[in-house]
Amino acid sequence: MVYAGDMDDRPNILFILADDLGYADLACYGNEFIQTPNIDCLAATGVRFTHCYAGSAVSSPSRCTLMTGKHTGHSAIRDNFVLAGGIEGKKGQQAIRRMHLQESDTTIAEVLREAGYRTCIVNKWHLDGFNPNATPLNHGFDEFYGWLVSTSYSNDPYYYPYYRFCNHELINIEENANGAHSKHNTDLSTDEAIAFIRRNREHPFFLYLAYDAPHEPYNIDDTHWYADMPWEAYTQRYASLITHMDAAIGRILDELDSLGLRDNTLVVFASDNGAARQAPRETLRCVGGLRGMKGQLYEGGLRVPLIINMPSCIAANEVDELVYFPDMMPTLAKIGGASDYMPTMIDGISLLPLLEEDSLPIGDRPLYWEFPGKQRAVRYGEWKAVSVRRGAPLELYRLSIDPNETTNLALLYPDVLDVMDSIMVRMHTPSPNFPENR
């Protein structure tokens, strides 16, 4: 499975990322309402991870860990907003500051491009902050089709955009002119992804397809899948955004089949964090029984689906070991024969031992998250310590018997809590962009 021959033998890599998709929003993760047949097929014929954690509970830091292999104790971006550093801009009428990926950061796109891959990102980057010089084209991607935070109207209106980046150029989607809802962002992104695959079918590629779905506002006109369900309109739209994305993924898989590329393409599917507060979490049970939501370091904000699929090389399996987003860079680099181009300082490890036919355990290691000065958490073996409010004492949960974090054991196991606290202190590096006392 690891590249050992000439360039033509390297697997293509397609990484699909949903936005604010809850851990239990997919049928293959237990959802009883939302139809996701194509993703379910990927899970049935690939490796389905039951304990995968996002890099953070919100978008920018989570995607930063995915791209750089560094957890939020070390990464440049540790929250969606900063109190110092970064660059000031506007969100609506409000002045805010955002941090951006640094020139010194090495991304998985840079690593794979150095090894000879053609690289492309479609749709959401969210690592530019308000810096127009921190685009995907500045960080290892040969091609970019989508929107940027630093150009606020480049995804306006959400899901039916009139503006869109085509590499450096901001173009118009004429089908959506004058407020028309003719070209949904999911369809637009899928068309761009398929076009990239067709152009590069003779050459190994890394395609990072970062859909908006099902991030709010839940804006989709076609809800026919759930027209007969006794739900509020926003619930129908939320479920439809997911099923519509699933159908789009089916289009891409069909295209890979028709081009004869499926056997040599690794497909990865995940979500950037848990379901949002606005999601119909009770009606659709988006996080199952997990506690918390997007923005919180409880399980419901961090635990996400992860599926890795390449039936020609990877046997179908279910993996219960603890993995998280910083592991993606070393895993993809190893699979793509690009390990020699990896930066030396990363926090993830290769998951290849879990994907091979005689899979081997990777062993216990701490997984760490922080929103500096506000929240912090560590998972180590069966234990998790977490605080989700500024200044609040650490809570302690034994997830092997209490996966929903219902019973705080901090007072019963002070020695365990001390160990977890010391791990968090060790895994945190101060950042001038995220002062902890503000």
Side-chain angles (χ1 to χ4, degrees), residues 7-14 112-113 116-122 140-145 167 191-208 255-256 259-262 264-265:
M7 194 66 207
D8 292 339
D9 294 331
R10 299 191 187 209
N12 305 308
I13 300 171
L14 168 59
L112 290 171
R113 186 166 71 175
Y117 276 76
R118 303 251 174 95
T119 59
C120 177
I121 175 175
V122 172
F141 287 97
D142 297 313
E143 299 183 37
F144 165 51
Y145 309 93
N167 295 315
D191 290 346
E192 292 162 340
I194 288 174
F196 173 80
I197 292 170
R198 288 175 178 169
R199 288 195 304 273
N200 292 279
R201 59 187 174 187
E202 302 295 334
H203 194 283
F205 61 78
F206 169 54
L207 172 57
Y208 173 35
E255 186 68 25
L256 291 171
L259 295 174
L261 299 178
R262 185 66 183 90
N264 196 42
T265 300

Side-chain angles (χ1 to χ4, degrees), residues 109-245:
E110 290 174 285
V111 169
L112 290 171
R113 186 166 71 175
E114 283 293 314
Y117 276 76
R118 303 251 174 95
T119 59
C120 177
I121 175 175
V122 172
N123 199 49
K124 183 174 179 177
W125 175 234
H126 224 254
L127 299 178
D128 55 316
F130 294 116
N131 184 348
N133 296 314
T135 76
L137 299 175
N138 301 112
H139 287 283
F141 287 97
D142 297 313
E143 299 183 37
F144 165 51
Y145 309 93
W147 59 277
L148 296 172
V149 171
S150 55
T151 307
S152 60
Y153 56 89
S154 58
N155 195 33
D156 186 32
Y158 214 78
Y159 283 118
Y160 292 96
Y162 177 59
Y163 297 98
R164 186 82 166 175
F165 274 100
C166 176
N167 295 315
H168 291 290
E169 184 182 3
L170 192 62
I171 65 171
N172 297 134
I173 308 302
E174 294 301 336
E175 296 97 320
N176 293 335
N178 302 313
H181 284 196
S182 296
K183 193 75 170 182
H184 195 273
N185 176 283
T186 296
D187 297 319
L188 178 61
S189 298
T190 303
D191 290 346
E192 292 162 340
I194 288 174
F196 173 80
I197 292 170
R198 288 175 178 169
R199 288 195 304 273
N200 292 279
R201 59 187 174 187
E202 302 295 334
H203 194 283
F205 61 78
F206 169 54
L207 172 57
Y208 173 35
L209 173 54
Y211 285 119
D212 283 342
H215 193 288
E216 58 85 25
Y218 307 133
N219 195 1
I220 182 170
D221 293 342
D222 183 5
T223 60
H224 75 272
W225 300 277
Y226 304 102
D228 295 332
M229 297 299 291
W231 298 337
E232 294 181 75
Y234 89 98
T235 302
Q236 291 186 355
R237 291 195 295 269
Y238 180 87
S240 295
L241 283 168
I242 297 171
T243 299
H244 181 221
M245 176 177 62

Side-chain angles (χ1 to χ4, degrees), residues 67-81:
M67 286 288 105
T68 66
K70 296 179 181 181
H71 62 57
T72 48
H74 298 149
S75 58
I77 304 174
R78 306 187 185 188
D79 203 341
N80 274 352
F81 312 111

